[in-house]
Amino acid sequence: MADAHRREWAFVLAATARVAGDIDLAEECVQDAYVAALDTWSRQGIPDNPGAWLTTTARRRAIDVLRRSATLRGKLPLLIEPLPPVPGSAPPGPFPGDDVEIPDDRLRLVFTCCHPALAREAQVALTLRLVCGLSTTEIAQAFLVPEATMAARVTRAKKKISAARIAYRVPGTAELPDRLDAVLTVVHLLYTTGHTMDLARMLHSLMPDEREVRGLLALLLLTDARRSTRAGPGGRLLLLAEQDRGEWDRAMIAEGAALVPGALRGGYPGRFALQAAIAALHAEAPSYQQTDWRQIVELYGVLLGVWQSPVVALNRAVAVAMADGPQAGLAEIEELERDGRLADYRYLPAAKADLLRRLGRRQEAADTYRRALELTMNAAERDFLSRRIAETGGQR
């Protein structure tokens, strides 16, 4: 069931929304379908096509709800007054106003949810919740905010949609640019949570001249090229320095690297183009030590100018440590600690501990690795950190 939820949620919700014409109703019907699956599949076994089963069940539920609503309105015309039309609003029905062909229901739904009337964080959070089926906890972790903060953010977004009567519809061609950055963010987060890069490819085919679309696809290609080398025997986590570069997908690297120049040309580069340029330097370097770390530091500096994320600053600090030595990188990480925004971000103490280890400060390194261990639930990461603690003289 967990696997079906991760793989099928977006497909099922998108298909149901076409029938329901309303995201909230579609979400409710899809949740009902998953509840029904828990009961039916436990008795009859998982069907050959779980997605089709869930979609059929959810769509039937939506049709039933719409029919009951229509019957009620037909029988109680004097008690239920139709809402007055909102100037400029789209007519009712599933995905009205579509004048652009978006080839995938999931991508259509992502564009639909990224409405510019909502704050950017709300657009992305709501889309991850509705389209991707991520829990509030998972979304909060992605945004580095407390779960309660994220829950309130999603609730406010839903209330604004309801109060303003914002129509869920596929935006027209002229509206796409205003939604693009949020859509790119969602597609990137989808990849990081285990989905494939097919949405990025579709987006590139839809908007081939958008530099940030090229940048995103390049970034995902260059990242995915290392997929098979990130874990060793028994699922042991392998750092970039430990990965066998001979096993990297060179065709994928070439495809991604070829997109980078076009993503950088034509104006000030965006955040996905810059991340792709950094990924290309890593992918094309003969070895970890021979990577052009100084250029990576410079690119991270430019990236911070367009995307002032503390995670970007942490990545830059790691690159500084490679270019100028661990003491220089440690100074930047300690400044980030004082900033406080990454207080519960597990990779900050992990990175700091690594620099302390390289400086020979073994006890401090072991203590800091323990802090990182407290913050992660990932089994491979916990095993890696436990080994590091043991190597620095601490106890597992």
Side-chain angles (χ1 to χ4, degrees):
M1 175 59 74
D3 184 58
H5 184 276
R6 184 184 67 80
R7 289 186 295 103
E8 307 292 352
W9 175 272
F11 291 102
V12 178
L13 183 66
T16 306
R18 279 184 173 272
V19 171
D22 177 88
I23 297 295
D24 281 338
L25 173 58
E27 184 186 19
E28 178 183 332
C29 294
V30 173
Q31 289 172 342
D32 287 346
Y34 275 93
V35 171
L38 280 172
D39 176 57
T40 304
W41 296 1
S42 64
R43 291 184 286 102
Q44 301 178 5
I46 299 176
D48 294 335
N49 191 333
W53 192 99
L54 290 163
T55 299
T56 299
T57 302
R59 287 167 67 103
R60 284 175 177 169
R61 168 68 174 159
I63 291 170
D64 287 345
V65 171
L66 291 173
R67 282 175 176 166
R68 286 199 300 272
S69 177
T71 299
L72 180 62
R73 288 182 176 273
K75 291 182 176 179
L76 303 174
L78 298 179
L79 298 180
I80 301 179
E81 297 181 3
L83 292 170
V86 176
S89 65
F95 297 113
D98 187 8
D99 68 346
V100 60
E101 181 58 34
I102 298 179
D104 184 275
D105 271 348
R106 295 166 300 162
L107 191 56
R108 289 166 60 90
L109 202 49
V110 171
F111 268 108
T112 299
C113 289
C114 291
H115 197 288
L118 303 175
R120 178 55 49 83
E121 294 84 359
Q123 292 176 29
V124 178
L126 191 61
T127 308
L128 291 174
R129 176 71 189 91
L130 296 179
V131 181
C132 312
L134 298 186
S135 68
T136 303
T137 301
E138 291 171 319
I139 301 170
Q141 291 173 347
F143 278 86
L144 305 177
V145 299
E147 183 177 349
T149 300
M150 183 52 64
R153 188 176 294 173
V154 172
T155 299
R156 284 196 302 270
K158 285 189 172 184
K159 286 182 177 179
K160 182 169 184 177
I161 288 171
S162 177
R165 296 188 62 210
I166 295 172
Y168 277 112
R169 65 178 182 84
V170 174
T173 304
E175 299 172 274
L176 295 184
D178 288 338
R179 307 190 184 198
L180 183 58
D181 187 68
V183 170
L184 292 171
T185 300
V186 169
V187 172
H188 182 244
L189 285 172
L190 268 172
Y191 173 80
T192 64
T193 56
H195 292 72
T196 62
M197 67 176 71
D198 56 337
L199 288 182
R201 287 193 180 279
M202 290 179 188
L203 194 56
H204 183 249
S205 67
L206 179 69
M207 309 175 77
D209 297 327
E210 287 287 343
R211 294 188 299 136
E212 278 290 80
V213 173
R214 293 180 189 171
L216 175 63
L217 179 56
L219 174 62
L220 298 191
L221 286 164
L222 292 163
T223 302
D224 205 63
R226 300 190 288 109
R227 178 188 294 272
S228 65
T229 65
R230 294 192 188 112
R236 185 173 69 88
L237 179 67
L238 295 179
L239 301 180
L240 182 60
E242 302 171 308
Q243 294 173 14
D244 183 356
R245 294 174 181 242
E247 295 297 317
W248 289 359
D249 189 324
R250 290 295 156 184
M252 195 173 285
I253 289 173
E255 182 184 0
L259 290 167
V260 172
L264 294 173
R265 283 197 299 262
Y268 204 79
R271 59 191 174 102
F272 289 109
L274 289 165
Q275 289 178 85
I278 293 168
L281 287 173
H282 281 299
E284 296 179 326
S287 69
Y288 186 75
Q289 290 72 23
Q290 292 174 283
T291 303
D292 190 344
W293 291 106
R294 294 201 177 279
Q295 188 173 352
I296 288 177
V297 170
E298 292 178 7
L299 284 170
Y300 271 125
V302 178
L303 181 58
L304 276 170
V306 299
W307 187 25
Q308 296 180 358
S309 164
V311 174
V312 174
L314 176 61
N315 289 335
R316 182 183 180 279
V318 173
V320 166
M322 292 302 300
D324 299 324
Q327 189 61 54
L330 182 62
E332 297 208 2
I333 287 180
E334 289 175 340
E335 184 176 342
L336 281 170
E337 280 185 314
R338 289 188 289 272
D339 173 271
R341 286 180 291 169
L342 295 180
D344 295 320
Y345 187 61
R346 64 187 184 273
Y347 297 122
L348 186 145
K352 180 181 179 180
D354 183 64
L355 298 185
L356 290 169
R357 180 183 60 84
R358 288 167 57 187
L359 288 167
R361 295 160 61 175
R362 297 171 63 85
Q363 186 56 55
E364 292 176 84
D367 292 342
T368 311
Y369 278 128
R370 288 191 186 93
R371 171 58 180 158
L373 187 62
E374 292 172 357
L375 292 173
T376 183
M377 300 301 294
N378 181 280
E381 291 179 2
R382 290 185 64 83
D383 178 68
F384 169 81
L385 292 168
S386 296
R387 285 187 282 108
R388 281 289 199 236
I389 292 169
E391 290 167 5
T392 53
Q395 297 297 317
R396 280 179 179 261

